[in-house]
Amino acid sequence: MGSIDPRLAGARLMLSRVKAVVPVMSAKGGVGKTLVAVLTALHAARMGRRVGLLDLDVTSPSAHIALGVDPRRLQPEERDGVVPPEVAGVRFMTVAFYTWDKPTPLRGHAVDDAIREVLAVTNWGELDLLVVDTPPGLRDEALDTLEYLPGPRVLAVATPSRLARVGVERLLAILEEQGVDRYLVENMATGPGSLEELAERYKARYLGRIRYDPGVEDALGSPEKLLATEMARDTEQIARKLLEQLGL
Amino acid sequence: MHEWALIRAIIAEVEEAVKRGYELEEIVVYLGELQNVDRGVVETYLGEALPQIAPGARVRYETEPARFRCRVCGREWGLDAVELDEATREAIHFVPEAVYSFVRCPFCGSRDYEITSGRGVRLALAVKRSEETAG
């Protein structure tokens, strides 16, 4: 008699009333994926959509830092699972609520277990959009995310750097092979857009470019300040296009 | 409550097995000591739901003691070897992997260890003889 993990069935139930799930992914770290995820969620909420933001980077969660959430003070409420607290109009969930920003060195199966557990217990209720900040790279945790989330529509983030470009090309190739809907955003752009041709090659929808904004660092920790940055202005256009593409 | 999410997940999994045509003889629900779910709550809800979904199936509950093995010094230990305050236990209750944030190997202090048993809730299903085992 083998053992069965009931959590993925639980995760499907918890996500069954979410209209669109958008994992924000990058093949490399340091391309601004978390901020793109956070700002996209904040903008979509401001545009009147019911939005969730899930930080699935279980070993290095950071979305709560961008939002200024102290995980020891703000906690999900227990109701048919755990209901994510609302932060600036966005229902926000992170493993940091349970690890309190302490180091959480997880290996192999423990990473997968933490991801499954968070997905199984988080009661999202009804949402138009769930934005998921994923761990960078193309390792187990990123691939598992694609497998566990229903009908994922990936927002790939890259910078114009040649290194990031090669990385995102690999990511888009895999998404194309798996038949996953995909969008591409160019972050920290200093010149005119340079990744459009890449998006075209891998049949991804190019949603635009976000100019490099050194001011964003000082805005970390406050949703209001973040929304007042240059980066937020560019991301607003991207969020608008994304909602349009998702039919929301 | 949090247990309810896990109970619903178990119900969904059993329903799926029945839908696939498996005739269940026994359903075993393993409750890991580390996650420390409320066994009474789990038994009460599943005690009502499972006979309706899988009539005739025996239901058993087993509590699995939590065990850890250090990857650095190779020693093994259980939860009784570490002290956890109420808030920490609560955090681990929701996401058992939070244990890595709070507990180190009691022998060498490393955080590089594995949970070898008793992590959280899992399920085993046995089907009636002459049929294939589900899961």
Side-chain angles (χ1 to χ4, degrees):
Chain A
M1 182 159 63
S3 160
I4 293 174
D5 183 350
R7 290 173 296 174
L8 293 182
R12 281 195 292 275
L13 282 174
M14 291 301 201
L15 293 165
S16 61
R17 289 185 291 152
V18 177
K19 285 186 191 162
V21 179
V22 175
V24 180
M25 298 182 78
S26 71
K28 275 182 60 60
V31 299
K33 177 175 56 61
T34 296
L35 279 175
V36 170
V38 167
L39 283 169
T40 302
L42 289 173
H43 278 306
R46 275 199 161 184
M47 292 168 192
R49 307 311 190 276
R50 294 165 302 177
V51 183
L53 174 65
L54 168 61
D55 189 345
L56 263 193
D57 191 343
V58 292
T59 52
S60 301
S62 54
H64 65 289
I65 296 166
L67 288 170
V69 167
D70 177 348
R72 292 209 65 173
R73 288 171 158 240
L74 189 70
Q75 283 278 305
E77 183 193 336
E78 262 191 271
R79 204 171 64 230
D80 294 352
V82 296
V83 176
E86 206 167 284
V87 179
V90 172
R91 286 185 219 165
F92 175 57
M93 182 65 178
T94 168
V95 77
F97 286 135
Y98 307 107
T99 57
W100 306 343
D101 274 341
K102 290 174 184 290
T104 313
L106 304 180
R107 283 187 192 242
H109 206 268
V111 177
D112 187 39
D113 266 326
I115 289 175
R116 287 177 181 223
E117 199 71 33
V118 169
L119 290 174
V121 302
T122 309
N123 178 2
W124 293 104
E126 275 190 51
L127 288 182
D128 295 309
L129 172 68
L130 176 64
V131 179
V132 184
D133 187 13
T134 64
L138 292 173
R139 291 171 51 87
D140 291 16
E141 48 268 45
L143 300 174
D144 286 345
T145 305
L146 283 182
E147 190 190 326
Y148 301 158
L149 297 172
R153 292 144 107 173
V154 171
L155 183 61
V157 181
T159 66
S161 142
R162 275 167 60 197
L163 301 176
R165 190 189 168 93
V166 171
V168 81
E169 197 164 347
R170 293 181 190 132
L171 172 62
L172 291 176
I174 284 177
L175 295 173
E176 189 182 21
E177 276 168 30
Q178 297 189 351
V180 176
D181 279 359
R182 53 214 172 269
Y183 307 100
L184 179 62
V185 165
E186 190 169 354
N187 191 24
M188 300 185 208
T190 47
S194 63
L195 298 180
E196 283 179 90
E197 149 286 311
L198 204 61
E200 204 172 313
R201 195 180 324 153
Y202 293 97
K203 300 182 186 65
R205 183 79 57 170
Y206 182 79
L207 294 186
R209 52 195 280 277
I210 302 164
R211 285 164 293 178
Y212 174 66
D213 176 7
V216 84
E217 188 65 25
D218 292 332
L220 291 177
S222 159
E224 292 71 32
K225 284 186 189 166
L226 276 177
L227 282 166
T229 59
E230 295 282 330
M231 181 180 184
R233 257 201 287 283
D234 289 347
T235 314
E236 186 175 0
Q237 301 309 314
I238 284 161
R240 208 176 289 283
K241 282 187 204 164
L242 178 70
L243 292 176
E244 196 183 294
Q245 289 289 321
L246 298 171
L248 296 174
Chain B
M1 81 174 51
H2 164 250
E3 272 80 355
W4 181 236
L6 300 169
I7 291 164
R8 277 181 46 175
I10 290 170
I11 291 173
E13 198 68 59
V14 174
E15 276 176 341
E16 182 61 32
V18 170
K19 210 160 69 187
R20 287 203 309 258
Y22 291 110
E23 209 179 328
L24 300 180
E25 185 170 65
E26 187 176 46
I27 300 165
V28 188
V29 180
Y30 294 96
L31 305 168
E33 183 193 18
L34 182 61
Q35 188 158 40
N36 193 29
V37 296
D38 186 327
R39 184 169 170 154
V41 171
V42 174
E43 285 192 24
T44 303
Y45 280 99
L46 288 182
E48 278 181 31
L50 292 180
Q52 293 176 39
I53 303 164
R58 277 194 312 277
V59 184
R60 273 198 299 130
Y61 300 89
E62 282 196 19
T63 301
E64 287 184 323
R67 297 291 299 169
F68 307 88
R69 181 168 47 226
C70 182
R71 288 193 179 96
V72 176
C73 73
R75 308 278 281 273
E76 294 192 16
W77 73 92
L79 265 186
D80 51 356
V82 290
E83 269 185 39
L84 299 175
D85 60 28
E86 196 52 40
T88 307
R89 287 229 50 115
E90 186 75 352
I92 294 170
H93 169 61
F94 288 107
V95 180
E97 282 60 44
V99 71
Y100 292 99
S101 303
F102 303 105
V103 170
R104 293 166 182 267
C105 168
F107 302 101
C108 74
S110 167
R111 260 198 256 247
D112 190 4
Y113 55 85
E114 61 178 322
I115 305 164
T116 54
S117 74
R119 181 205 163 277
V121 175
R122 62 191 182 87
L123 188 64
L125 305 178
V127 295
K128 290 214 168 126
R129 249 179 228 176
S130 84
E131 288 182 49
E132 213 182 315
T133 300

